[in-house]
Amino acid sequence: MENSFINKYKSRIIDYLIPIVLSVIIATILIWTELSTRSGLTLDDTAFHFHRFYDTYQQIQNHNFSYFQMNYGMGASGRIVNALYGPFLAYLMGFLLLFCSSWLRFQIVITYLIFIIGGLGTYHLSRKVKISKTVSAIITAMFLTTGYIAYWPRSNAFNSWGAVLIPFVLMQGINLLNNHQKRFSWVSLGIVMAIVAQIHLLSTFFAILTLIPFFIYGLVLSKNKHQMWIDAFKAVGLFIILTANVWGAFLLLYPTNQMASPINYSPVLTALNLSVAGASTMWTSITEVTLLLFIVQIIYVLFNFRSSRLNTFVTLEGAVFLYLSSNLFPWQFIKDNFPAVTGYLQFPNRFTVVAYPLLFIGIGLTITEIIKNHGKKIGIIASALAIVVVLFNVRADFNEINNNITYNKGITSNVKEMKEQGLDVYIKKIAINSPDYLPVQKKIKSSDVTGILMSMAPQEKNFSKKNLPGGQLQLKWNEAKAKLVTLPIFMYRQSQLNVNGKKVNPKLNEIGMPQVTAKVGENTAILSFKTPIWFTVLLYISILGWVIMIIYGVFRLVKIIKK
């Protein structure tokens, strides 16, 4: 009985083992220095996201929930981040932290998770378009060693989470393209897009951009266009239900608050440099071999565009996104004439999260065509060249990560605190000066917001903070004389503040910190957030929607196993 079960599912088991083992090997190589030295790294975005997860971890541990106001992370300052930035993932990460006794362990676990999810997605996307196991493994390895996936151990940038989800989005794109053969699942499409929105909202924008060409082409080929439109609207409806908490938070906060924007970067300096090949595949650089491989793939498709409609489609779309991500695109003109675009996009190289998987899938299809048309020997040569690209990229990325650790001592300055058992010491030592989502009172540069935060930091030590039931935050401090005091907390239009037992409507400074009149002796302030009933309803709708989808998924899985 057991042997028949194994034989029956042998192929499926192998299809899961290959990408998992490959992902673990690549991740281990890239973070070997961190593993061998047991040194946790405080990278570009580490503190920001670890503060987010620490807040939800404490909420879960203390059974004291506050969906909007952050009373544990972000300096226990009452600022809002998680409600607008991957809310449900933040709670999942908080839950995961319950099982990790140190930030070092958590950082390593998250790295392996990213690589495994990305590996599974790319491998199964390759298999979905009829690429062999061997070639699919090569394509998966190229994907994991190129761009934002490999950049995660170097930065902890959350674009990496968006990058690992794009292959799953592309699977839905293939379903849209093949709708004329088999009706696409609007449930799967709605769920995948909702997962992206619950993890990284900007990646939802990239996912939509990615799927539009697939939908249009699928609609052209479809024999029942009316039904395809209906299914598309059903997917949108399901997406709206599953993300009610996300768009509901934006509807609550943005019309009534002026939110600080993220730190501004020059789009010209953060575009992918295609003019000069770089020393790694990260951020704004691309290795010579990878760029050459893309050029060869595009040339191949231009000369053989009739041989495979799918190969031509994914390669051309990938080439368009590569162009958008690069310094060949007129980003200076966009910045000068449409500053809001570059303000929210921040980095044009983000388009590579779509360009790379599309082009790699095209390369896999090309190798498959070569094997079919010219025999296995030529195919083996093409595969060997692709493996060489992988090896070059692994070496380049490992050197980039290792050099960053070796020469930038700033990222290793908190190694001891990350290694220690318990999570509080590290969080209390690492300050957050990012301007994201702060309630500014007037239009102000993000760099100026950061400056004000840094100047206010020394005053924090004068206050003691305590979490009260119901998601309230209490501050206590002493004054020798009555005077005006700026509290180290942030107030939004929905925030309420009580000072010494009286509700007050204080004047706020430029970045939303309340200025109150303190009395002689001990002073007490209590900050709370008034959540409207309509948002609570939306939150429960979203939660109920996910519960129903999980139950539906379990029943589908049981049905498949029984077959």
Side-chain angles (χ1 to χ4, degrees), residues 548-559:
I548 291 172
M549 288 299 102
I550 290 170
I551 294 171
Y552 169 77
V554 170
F555 274 105
R556 284 290 303 272
L557 184 63
V558 170
K559 192 175 180 181

Side-chain angles (χ1 to χ4, degrees), residues 16 28 38 80 86 127 129 192 233 282 304 306 391 401 440 506:
Y16 279 95
T28 302
R38 291 185 56 79
I80 297 171
R127 298 290 289 142
V129 294
V192 168
F233 281 116
M282 301 177 186
N304 300 274
R306 291 182 179 176
L391 294 175
I401 294 167
V440 294

Side-chain angles (χ1 to χ4, degrees), residues 66-320:
S66 175
Y67 188 81
F68 286 96
Q69 181 173 299
M70 299 186 77
N71 298 328
Y72 299 98
M74 297 289 168
S77 59
R79 69 186 289 184
I80 297 171
V81 177
N82 281 334
L84 299 168
Y85 197 135
F88 282 180
L89 178 73
Y91 279 97
L92 286 175
M93 291 294 103
F95 185 76
L96 180 61
L97 266 175
L98 292 173
F99 302 95
C100 296
S101 57
S102 71
W103 287 108
L104 169 63
R105 184 175 296 174
F106 179 73
Q107 191 172 54
I108 291 171
V109 169
I110 293 301
T111 298
Y112 278 113
L113 269 178
I114 280 183
F115 276 82
I116 289 170
I117 294 170
L120 284 168
T122 309
Y123 183 86
H124 285 282
L125 171 62
S126 302
R127 298 290 289 142
K128 187 177 182 66
V129 294
K130 305 295 189 290
I131 297 174
S132 68
K133 287 183 172 67
T134 302
V135 178
S136 293
I138 295 170
I139 297 306
T140 301
M142 284 197 288
F143 175 74
L144 294 176
T145 57
T146 310
Y148 271 102
I149 309 297
Y151 190 54
W152 171 263
R154 162 72 171 74
S155 68
N156 286 172
F158 235 63
N159 291 306
S160 301
W161 277 97
V164 302
L165 296 174
I166 292 299
F168 295 93
V169 173
L170 291 176
M171 287 187 210
Q172 300 306 314
I174 299 298
N175 291 338
L176 290 170
L177 202 65
N178 294 331
N179 187 68
H180 64 288
Q181 297 173 347
K182 182 183 178 182
R183 185 176 164 188
F184 79 91
S185 170
W186 60 268
V187 175
S188 296
L189 178 59
I191 289 174
V192 168
M193 294 298 288
I195 290 173
V196 177
Q198 292 286 1
I199 293 177
H200 192 238
L201 194 59
L202 185 60
S203 293
T204 312
F205 169 71
F206 291 132
I208 293 170
L209 284 182
T210 305
L211 290 180
I212 288 174
F214 282 96
F215 179 77
I216 293 172
Y217 198 7
L219 197 63
V220 171
L221 297 174
S222 179
K223 297 174 183 177
N224 191 344
K225 294 177 174 55
H226 178 70
Q227 184 61 56
M228 190 172 180
W229 274 111
I230 291 175
D231 289 341
F233 281 116
K234 286 180 180 178
V236 172
L238 180 60
F239 171 81
I240 290 172
I241 291 171
L242 296 179
T243 59
N245 61 311
V246 178
W247 55 262
F250 277 86
L251 283 179
L252 173 63
L253 294 168
Y254 270 78
T256 54
N257 297 275
Q258 185 170 340
M259 299 291 202
S261 60
I263 295 175
N264 292 323
Y265 293 88
S266 169
V268 178
L269 298 177
T270 56
L272 179 67
N273 192 343
L274 293 183
S275 304
V276 181
S280 74
T281 67
M282 301 177 186
W283 192 237
T284 61
S285 66
I286 185 170
T287 57
E288 296 95 330
V289 288
T290 306
L291 182 58
L292 180 62
L293 187 64
F294 287 162
I295 292 171
V296 170
Q297 168 63 17
I298 293 168
I299 291 172
Y300 175 86
V301 163
L302 291 176
F303 281 94
N304 300 274
F305 62 91
R306 291 182 179 176
S307 61
S308 172
R309 182 174 60 196
L310 179 60
N311 192 4
T312 301
F313 182 85
V314 296
T315 301
L316 292 181
E317 185 177 353
V320 169

Side-chain angles (χ1 to χ4, degrees), residues 9-24:
Y9 291 99
K10 184 178 179 180
S11 180
R12 286 191 180 183
I13 292 170
I14 292 173
D15 269 343
Y16 279 95
L17 281 178
I18 289 174
I20 290 174
V21 171
L22 189 62
S23 302
V24 169

